[in-house]
Amino acid sequence: MIVALCGGVGGSKLVVGLYKTLPPDSLTVVVNTADDLKLWGLNISPDLDTVSYTLAGIARRDVGWGIEDDTFHALEMLARFGLPAWFRVGDRDLATDIFRTHELRRGRTLSAITADICSALAVRAHVVPMTDSSVSTRLLVDSQWLNFQDYFVRRRHSDPVDAVQYGGIEHASPAPSVVDSITQAECIVLVNSNPVLSILPILAVPGLREAIAHASCPRVAVSPIVGTDAVTGPAGELMRLLGHPSSATGVAEAYQGLIDGLIIDVQDRIQERAIRDRGLAVLCTDTLMRNEQDRVRLASEAIGFARSLS
Ligand code: GDP
């Protein structure tokens, strides 16, 4: 079993490559849920849905989130009723949120519901939320704590951030099977998701950092930073906020003690030595996933690299 830790759109690119490279039921994806939100009375789990839709082959090809060819009639009506419509949820996507909310209200857990969603979408990978508890990333902007989607979607992550917190994390526990999957994994891949907004919340769930730190299998990460900035989004700025440089070396620093190897882009070859000096193995390759072929190639290189470390 290979375990991947993943956020949303960016990380799903590599996860779908892993899914296509491995026997389908030998992949477990532990997904960030600190971006989850409650809107219009519905429980929305954007990263879980992005991973599930991507693995099912139904994610929107242009943006990576939502469902291909979805319509937005429900959202248009909600806007006519005066409800906020800045968080874009298509009609089919909304059905997932209705199902999730309905089942949660019946007392079922997010992990059990996610398994049902994956099964209905014929996704054979094990897609698991990091926790069944509620955790909410908040960002301090202009002396005001913003909810994650308010910062990321409504304000288009354009504001300088002064601090990040994962609200409720101290009361969270890993979803069932997450620790066992990590303990029994053949290798663990921290995919190229945003370290601060996607991977660190997973690691902050009590018990998960320790489980990965003590895992006996090889653990590798793919750098989301190429050159001096993230390929997409605010990862670079947020890395600096945590005191790490916005570079592949900064990623090595942020994951110190949790990984044995780091995959960096060919453009960052000059940093290879500094990262090796931190005790990590390095694979220097083309990490830009422009198309399906790139995703599968990088995924199989990541697995080969991890296996070479065992
Ligand atoms: P998102 O914020 O919903 O896209 O979710 P994630 O946290 O999973 O992914 C965001 C991260 O993916 C960003 O920090 C990007 O730099 C990174 N990323 C996106 N595309 C690529 C790519 O093709 N290669 C690499 N190495 N990183 C990428």
Side-chain angles (χ1 to χ4, degrees), residues 35-157:
D35 299 2
D36 288 13
L37 68 158
K38 209 156 181 174
L39 194 58
W40 317 306
L42 297 175
N43 294 81
I44 305 183
S45 296
D47 286 358
L48 278 173
D49 290 347
T50 295
V51 171
S52 310
Y53 298 158
T54 305
L55 295 185
I58 59 169
R60 270 177 67 176
R61 280 187 284 274
D62 53 352
V63 287
W65 50 262
I67 298 177
E68 184 74 3
D69 296 327
D70 210 349
T71 49
F72 288 84
H73 303 305
L75 195 71
E76 284 158 22
M77 282 304 277
L78 288 169
R80 284 173 73 172
F81 298 139
L83 290 185
W86 51 265
F87 193 79
R88 308 286 298 162
V89 180
D91 297 326
R92 290 184 198 143
D93 200 4
L94 196 63
T96 310
D97 297 327
I98 293 170
F99 174 69
R100 179 186 297 110
T101 307
H102 180 260
E103 296 298 298
L104 283 169
R105 285 191 190 150
R106 286 179 54 213
R108 298 185 66 215
T109 61
L110 183 61
S111 45
I113 300 162
T114 304
D116 281 359
I117 292 170
C118 284
S119 159
L121 297 177
V123 170
R124 290 182 58 198
H126 307 276
V127 178
V128 193
M130 64 187 199
T131 178
D132 282 328
S133 318
S134 168
V135 176
S136 309
T137 297
R138 295 188 202 108
L139 301 105
L140 188 64
V141 170
D142 266 344
S143 312
Q144 195 193 347
W145 285 104
L146 300 180
N147 288 328
F148 174 80
Q149 302 296 351
D150 203 0
Y151 156 80
F152 197 82
V153 178
R154 192 162 77 88
R155 300 162 77 129
R156 296 169 199 270
H157 54 76

Side-chain angles (χ1 to χ4, degrees), residues 2-5 182 185-190 211-212 215 217-221 306:
I2 304 248
V3 174
L5 268 50
I182 290 170
E186 181 202 337
C187 62
I188 299 170
V189 185
L190 275 57
I212 291 175
C217 66
R219 305 150 305 171
V220 299

Side-chain angles (χ1 to χ4, degrees), residues 6-13 35 47 50 148 152 191-195 197-199 222-226 229-236 265 287-290 298:
C6 184
V9 174
S12 293
K13 295 187 199 173
D35 299 2
D47 286 358
T50 295
F148 174 80
F152 197 82
V191 306
N192 54 287
S193 286
N194 185 316
L197 298 178
S198 295
I199 303 292
V222 176
S223 174
I225 312 269
V226 174
D229 212 348
V231 180
T232 56
D265 196 80
T287 66
L288 293 177
M289 293 172 277
R290 304 162 196 87
L298 186 58

